Amino acid sequence: MKPAPFDYVRPSSVEEACRVLAEAGGGATVIAGGQTLMPLLALRMSQPFVLVDINGIAALKGVTRVEGGTRVGPATRQADALRDATLARHLPVFVTALGHVGHYQTRNRGTVGGSIALGEPAAEMPATAVALGARIEIASVRGTRTVPADEFYLGPYMTVLEPDELVTGVVYPDWPDGHLVLFREVAQRPGDFALVGLVGALVLEGGTVSRAGISWFGMGPTPIRAKQVEAALVGTALDRIDPQTMARLAIADTAPFDDHHASAEYRRTVGARIFARALAETLDLRSAA
């Protein structure tokens, strides 16, 4: 099939893009990398009146340090983000998760903001934003606002974004140097959406966990913050951490579902096992260092 007819606009500024979105009255769709949108257009599952290409807006690209964190422009290519020294230095969790997004071919075009704004519940980038406590910057002709990542997602492919709004940045707060990375996912094939996945960061001080941020993907209708296990880990000494007990707490906040790929019970079982292994291996690696 071919896409339904649409007008094409390539704005050169955030203000112009917001104006086009507002004038379209809900009939516009933003394109950056297009790795998800292009197939939807071809299948006519998406039929916008106006396609707003934000690739000409320099302000939406690149990685910068800001007060207390790192800001990633939504139109930053995933492949560029993987090679970025600032992200490697300050956000190793982000880089680890990003390396599992799709394939290298799709990462050459796919964007960080596109993945986050799409709201795919089994994707790595939304869960990473939630785990690290990122803030989503949003603009429209009505003004700007900032939404915490764990409040951004409402359901599968559903976010708080209004039709006239545009994601203009994602700010990840700083985590102390030397923090530990937690990441595991189980998929049918490399590059597929995860059946079960977890991503997170741990900070150790004096042999005790002082900070934790952990999120699941593929375990519910949105990325899910593992709040119970975060609370249990913080303030606990390493020699008192039982991975199996923590794994049971880790899946307590999830809401897995049955589909043609896997059952909810499979997701709970596998989720607990990969969490226990990830936690044990990460802490052992820290001890060995």
Side-chain angles (χ1 to χ4, degrees):
M1 293 180 66
K2 295 181 179 180
F6 57 81
D7 291 331
Y8 173 83
V9 181
R10 186 180 171 93
S12 59
S13 68
V14 170
E15 292 75 16
E16 183 184 356
C18 290
R19 185 169 63 253
V20 172
L21 291 173
E23 292 173 351
T29 296
V30 173
I31 184 170
Q35 296 305 286
T36 299
L37 180 59
M38 293 306 293
L40 294 178
L41 291 173
L43 293 170
R44 299 201 174 193
M45 296 175 67
S46 177
Q47 298 188 36
F49 301 129
V50 182
L51 201 61
V52 184
D53 185 343
I54 61 172
N55 284 291
I57 305 176
L60 298 181
K61 299 178 181 179
V63 178
T64 55
R65 289 288 294 160
V66 296
E67 183 177 357
T70 301
R71 184 179 184 275
V72 182
T76 303
R77 302 287 179 213
Q78 294 164 358
D80 292 337
L82 277 173
R83 295 188 292 263
D84 188 87
T86 298
L87 291 173
R89 166 75 171 78
H90 295 281
L91 291 172
V93 181
F94 175 98
V95 174
T96 298
L98 184 56
H100 289 78
V101 175
H103 306 272
Y104 75 88
Q105 297 97 329
T106 63
R107 293 193 293 269
N108 286 332
R109 287 294 301 172
T111 62
V112 173
S115 180
I116 286 176
L118 180 64
E120 160 61 56
E124 296 87 353
M125 287 291 92
T128 301
V130 170
L132 296 180
R135 304 184 302 277
I136 316 296
E137 297 176 343
I138 300 169
S140 71
V141 295
R142 294 174 283 110
T144 61
R145 61 179 177 138
T146 301
V147 179
D150 57 4
E151 298 176 11
F152 185 73
Y153 299 101
L154 304 177
Y157 306 103
M158 296 175 58
T159 71
V160 300
L161 274 180
E162 298 292 340
D164 66 337
E165 289 185 318
L166 176 69
V167 173
T168 56
V170 185
V171 179
Y172 297 84
D174 282 338
W175 285 68
D177 290 346
H179 66 268
L180 306 181
V181 174
L182 284 176
F183 186 87
R184 289 290 190 283
E185 72 172 35
V186 176
Q188 291 179 319
R189 291 166 296 274
D192 280 5
F193 288 116
L195 300 177
V196 183
L198 69 95
V199 59
L202 298 175
V203 178
L204 300 183
E205 292 182 8
T208 299
V209 179
S210 61
R211 183 177 174 186
I214 301 167
S215 182
W216 292 98
F217 50 104
M219 288 285 271
T222 65
I224 295 177
R225 188 79 175 258
K227 295 180 179 179
Q228 293 188 52
V229 77
E230 287 178 355
L233 285 169
V234 173
T236 302
L238 293 186
D239 59 3
R240 298 184 65 83
I241 293 176
D242 175 35
Q244 299 299 329
T245 299
M246 293 299 174
R248 288 191 289 273
L249 287 174
I251 64 170
D253 289 312
T254 64
F257 45 83
D258 295 325
D259 61 20
H260 61 286
H261 296 300
S263 67
E265 184 58 30
Y266 172 89
R267 290 182 161 98
R268 277 190 290 266
T269 300
V270 172
R273 290 179 180 175
I274 64 173
F275 184 89
R277 291 172 185 171
L279 185 64
E281 291 174 11
T282 299
L283 296 179
D284 285 346
L285 287 173
R286 176 72 180 191
S287 300

